[in-house]
Amino acid sequence: MVAVVGGLLRLVEVPVVAAPMAGGASTPELVAAVGGAGGLGFLAAGYLTAGAMAEQVRRTRELTDRPFGMNLFVPAEPSDPAAVAAYRERLRPEAERLGVELPERIAPDRDDWEAKIEALLADPVPLVSYTFGLPSAVEVAALRAVGSVQVGTVTSADEARAAAALGLDALTVQGPEAGGHRATHRADARPGRTPLPALLAEVRRAGDLPLIAAGGLGDGAAIAAALAAGAAAVQLGTAYLRSDESGAAAAYRAALVDERYAETTVTRAFTGRPARGLRNAFIDRHEPYAPAAYPEVHHLTRPLRAAAAARGDLDGMNLWAGTAHLRARSGPAAQITRELWAEAARLLGTRPARHHSWGARL
Ligand SMILES: Cc1cc2nc3c(=O)[nH]c(=O)nc-3n(C[C@H](O)[C@H](O)[C@H](O)COP(=O)(O)O)c2cc1C
């Protein structure tokens, strides 16, 4: 099993990874398209049940023979209920205005972690990546035994050292420019602000695992700079949100390139964890009051976000986006992958057709 699953990675020639994007943006179609262009696609298990995750794996295998990864959210201890209750009171008038109910009681939520690990042991995928923390040593050993290459997501040199000590195979280094949640290992941590190139250098000094650079990479020049700074590959999220295969809603796709929403900001207002998105009225109203309580705040604001989405109200939705969102292209994801890599390769003096074969190093 080890040889079969890990060996597949030699097929990954283009050093471009389609980021896992929970909440619907990542689809099996997107993963298959990026894999077909020689890159590496990731599915996102966050917010899904283990059964829904398995269904995404099944559908992906139906579409492609290329290697792909699955990303998991690592659960944390429940947050302070008093802080969540205070934020509920703050949101109540808004809910009443919109005619929606906010949940009074939020059940503990481990994102179906144990069942997902069981499912990935029973039916392994080539890569598994972790976000919001690290798995246990026992879980790492079990997934290694079934041949999955394991990637930790880190936002600091300290988190990189912890991931390396656990024996993970590679690290995704997420800079502050990144769209979506900051992957800090603690929900209450204040995320670092060291820009991606400098963060890559810090993490490089802390160890020698292959690094995948993520955050604000929206064109060939940014990709070339990250690879020149020592990354083995780059991971792009926002750059794929407007692709044909993305699951992003039409209003979200349009907002990404709408000059009225040109600014991004990092906020806990929607989920209780810091996340970068297009700055809008909801963030401006609530950011100062949002507690560090993930995933409780995610569940608390869900009815408000759903009501805003139903009305197409961009000022009430969480529109996750990295700093390079205005450069997000539309069209087939395979074409976006080929174009971005060709632009980067030209700047790096590498022929795109040449097998970069970074996957073989994992
Ligand atoms: C809509 C959206 C959802 C995301 N969901 C996840 C996720 O489920 N797991 C994860 O590790 N990262 C997630 N991310 C972060 C990406 O992995 C990556 O760090 C980020 O997209 C890189 O920055 P960029 O968007 O500027 O390319 C998400 C990003 C976006 C934009």
Side-chain angles (χ1 to χ4, degrees):
M1 180 63 82
V2 174
V4 176
V5 177
L8 266 179
L9 293 176
R10 73 182 190 290
L11 297 175
V12 184
E13 297 146 4
V14 172
V16 175
V17 177
M21 293 187 281
S26 288
T27 60
E29 288 74 14
L30 177 59
V31 168
V34 173
L40 177 65
F42 261 88
L43 293 168
Y47 313 129
L48 300 182
T49 61
M53 178 192 80
E55 173 54 25
Q56 295 250 311
V57 170
R58 189 197 63 72
R59 174 74 183 138
T60 303
R61 288 191 183 129
E62 216 169 70
L63 296 171
T64 185
D65 291 331
R66 309 282 302 189
F68 65 92
M70 179 61 76
N71 175 252
L72 304 177
F73 285 171
V74 180
E77 294 306 308
S79 310
D80 172 17
V84 179
Y87 195 47
R88 181 190 293 112
E89 283 317 301
R90 177 166 178 88
L91 297 176
R92 199 184 293 280
E94 194 152 330
E96 280 165 8
R97 219 171 30 252
L98 293 170
V100 299
E101 292 275 337
L102 299 179
E104 285 300 327
R105 214 193 126 265
I106 295 166
D109 175 10
R110 294 179 52 77
D111 207 41
D112 222 5
W113 170 261
E114 286 77 10
K116 285 174 184 167
I117 296 287
E118 280 304 312
L120 292 170
L121 290 174
D123 186 12
V125 295
L127 294 104
V128 175
S129 73
Y130 304 104
T131 298
F132 299 156
L134 295 169
S136 70
V138 171
E139 288 158 342
V140 173
L143 279 153
R144 183 182 303 116
V146 298
S148 295
V149 167
Q150 295 172 80
V151 184
T153 311
V154 302
T155 64
S156 68
D158 281 348
E159 289 179 353
R161 276 186 280 270
L166 202 51
L168 299 184
D169 301 297
L171 302 176
T172 297
V173 180
Q174 191 205 45
E177 305 86 349
H181 285 111
R182 299 306 313 282
T184 48
H185 289 187
R186 290 184 57 92
D188 57 359
R190 187 185 293 222
R193 293 190 179 181
T194 308
L196 180 62
L199 181 61
L200 281 169
E202 277 181 24
V203 172
R204 178 77 300 146
R205 282 196 292 278
D208 58 4
L209 289 178
L211 306 181
I212 303 170
L217 305 177
D219 56 24
I223 292 168
L227 294 173
V234 294
Q235 177 162 306
L236 315 178
T238 304
Y240 286 112
L241 282 172
R242 301 183 66 236
S243 69
D244 293 350
E245 295 85 351
S246 139
Y252 181 13
R253 289 165 185 263
L256 287 166
V257 290
D258 185 335
E259 292 287 349
R260 285 173 303 169
Y261 295 90
E263 194 187 335
T264 66
T265 188
V266 174
T267 182
R268 290 185 189 269
F270 290 111
T271 70
R273 257 190 175 274
R276 184 175 291 282
L278 302 182
R279 182 174 166 189
N280 64 9
F282 187 94
I283 297 174
D284 288 346
R285 275 199 300 280
H286 302 302
E287 165 58 21
Y289 309 96
Y294 178 91
E296 289 84 355
V297 172
H298 162 78
H299 292 298
L300 184 62
T301 65
R302 195 205 300 263
L304 295 172
R305 290 181 283 128
R311 293 194 321 277
D313 174 13
L314 294 174
D315 273 301
M317 294 159 67
N318 55 311
L319 303 165
W320 299 151
T323 52
H325 64 96
L326 289 171
R327 267 166 279 160
R329 306 168 190 196
S330 55
Q335 186 184 320
I336 293 172
T337 307
R338 284 195 204 98
E339 277 176 15
L340 288 170
W341 173 226
E343 288 167 25
R346 190 157 20 86
L347 292 165
L348 290 165
T350 311
R351 276 184 296 123
R354 205 198 80 189
H355 287 190
H356 189 280
S357 277
W358 72 279
R361 290 152 62 190
L362 292 178

